[in-house]
Amino acid sequence: MNPPAVATRLRAAVRREPLLPVLLVLLLGLSAAYHEFAAVANLRNIAVQASPLVIAAVGMAYVIMTAGIDLSVGSMLFLAAAIESARAVAGLPTAAVFAVVCLAGVLMGLLNGLAVAFTRVPALIVTLATMQMFRGAGGHVTGQQNIDLPAKLRGIGTAALLGVPAPVLLAAAVALAGAFVFRRTTFGRYVQAVGSSPDAARNAGLPVRGVLVGAYVAAGLLAAVASLTQTARLGAVQPSIGQGYELTVITAVVLGGTTLLGGRGSIGGTVLGALVLTTVQTGLVFSGASPYVFDIVRGGVLLAAVLAAAARWRNLAQAARLTGRATPA
């Protein structure tokens, strides 16, 4: 392939995923500043740390693409981990434990989805309430104590295939599946349509409520899968697991280019957003900076996303008034 063709493809890739050069610059800059940052062991650690975030963020991307939000993802992760640690569940064969945890994630997502789809209560309020419910239930199951997991449940977090850690392989599989569903299936097209305009989707005969429920179920399922990798890597269930995680997950999604207004997003961008956040967090550790700096970065990204969404909504509303169309929802 000649150099001009390579340059053209690179420009196209950057246009599709503008976070890619940001991630590369971050990696190069931190590698130049801290010699050990570029070590294979550290880069491997970044990938492993980012894996649960990638998995949970793919599910959140579907929710946000429907113009919704899920503040309960961290609590779903905690409750799924608590169920995994319960004696009645942990004693089952490994495959059965994973199935029970995933089923719990599906049921939690189903509760969110049904409440959002069949009531007029905003998703923000619904998931704020279930966030408290799920966290309380998880605290009840664990008694707010650290619970060690049996060795058979740790393999998904510590095993490797051909040198690639299992959490990274699982995150890659989830991201590829999420991207395929989004781009190549009817459900993916419906998600975009519902997020762009629920009324138009409803008038076109699309199953709007079913799409909403499906998106929240996917978020619940993937939060449970993320919990399996997180707890396996830690080797235990801790009362603090998943606390504040919803903000990191949402930030990864919006940083990756998914608009809070819905209808537009990218699974690839979501993965890059998770990698950028994890790289920044690791860089802060190397620099010896206060851990609260990461909260500032995360909050700044969310604030910028909210302001951008508000500005876009005002532009759409103004255009609607000028053309005589209905104000966008």
Side-chain angles (χ1 to χ4, degrees):
M1 186 180 295
N2 55 27
V6 172
T8 300
R9 292 199 173 188
L10 285 175
R11 284 195 295 270
V14 170
R15 280 196 298 270
R16 284 195 305 271
E17 303 296 350
L19 266 190
L20 182 58
V22 173
L23 177 60
L24 293 176
V25 169
L26 262 177
L27 291 171
L28 291 174
L30 289 170
S31 299
Y34 309 103
H35 179 66
E36 291 112 1
F37 189 90
V40 173
N42 184 58
L43 296 178
R44 175 190 173 105
N45 184 54
I46 290 174
V48 171
Q49 283 187 345
S51 297
L53 178 55
V54 167
I55 294 169
V58 169
M60 182 66 78
Y62 276 88
V63 169
I64 294 179
M65 279 190 274
T66 64
I69 200 76
D70 189 350
L71 297 181
S72 70
V73 61
S75 296
M76 287 194 292
L77 190 150
F78 175 52
L79 180 52
I83 291 171
E84 180 187 11
S85 70
R87 286 186 181 181
V89 176
L92 297 173
T94 303
V97 174
F98 292 168
V100 169
V101 172
C102 289
L103 177 61
V106 167
L107 292 177
M108 287 185 281
L110 182 62
L111 175 60
N112 282 337
L114 290 174
V116 170
F118 289 91
T119 71
R120 293 189 176 183
V121 181
L124 181 73
I125 304 301
V126 168
T127 57
L128 181 64
T130 57
M131 176 179 72
Q132 299 298 322
M133 290 171 52
F134 298 151
R135 173 119 342 234
H140 175 74
V141 173
T142 62
Q144 295 295 352
Q145 301 293 319
N146 286 348
I147 301 177
D148 292 331
L149 293 176
K152 66 179 182 180
L153 298 180
R154 302 181 187 182
I156 194 173
T158 58
L161 179 63
L162 300 177
V164 182
V168 176
L169 291 173
L170 183 58
V174 168
L176 289 173
F180 176 81
V181 170
F182 180 60
R183 294 180 180 178
R184 303 291 183 184
T185 68
T186 301
F187 177 73
R189 291 191 291 273
Y190 284 179
V191 165
Q192 297 174 69
V194 170
S196 296
S197 176
D199 291 336
R202 195 174 291 108
N203 292 337
L206 302 188
V208 173
R209 286 176 171 171
V211 171
L212 290 174
V213 172
Y216 283 91
V217 166
L221 171 61
L222 293 181
V225 174
S227 81
L228 290 173
T229 62
Q230 186 86 322
T231 54
R233 194 165 60 87
L234 296 173
V237 175
Q238 302 170 346
S240 61
I241 190 171
Q243 207 157 33
Y245 203 61
E246 54 280 346
L247 296 180
T248 305
V249 175
I250 293 169
T251 303
V253 175
V254 298
L255 184 61
T258 300
T259 173
L260 289 170
L261 290 177
R264 187 178 65 185
S266 164
I267 301 300
T270 296
V271 173
L272 289 172
L275 289 172
V276 165
L277 286 179
T278 308
T279 302
V280 168
Q281 192 170 24
T282 305
L284 291 173
V285 172
F286 270 82
S287 69
S290 166
Y292 299 110
V293 174
F294 181 70
D295 293 334
I296 296 172
V297 172
R298 183 179 60 181
V301 171
L302 274 177
L303 179 60
V306 170
L307 293 176
R312 182 167 173 251
W313 190 93
R314 285 195 299 269
N315 291 337
L316 289 173
Q318 185 178 20
R321 284 194 296 270
L322 290 174
T323 57
R325 298 176 182 175
T327 302

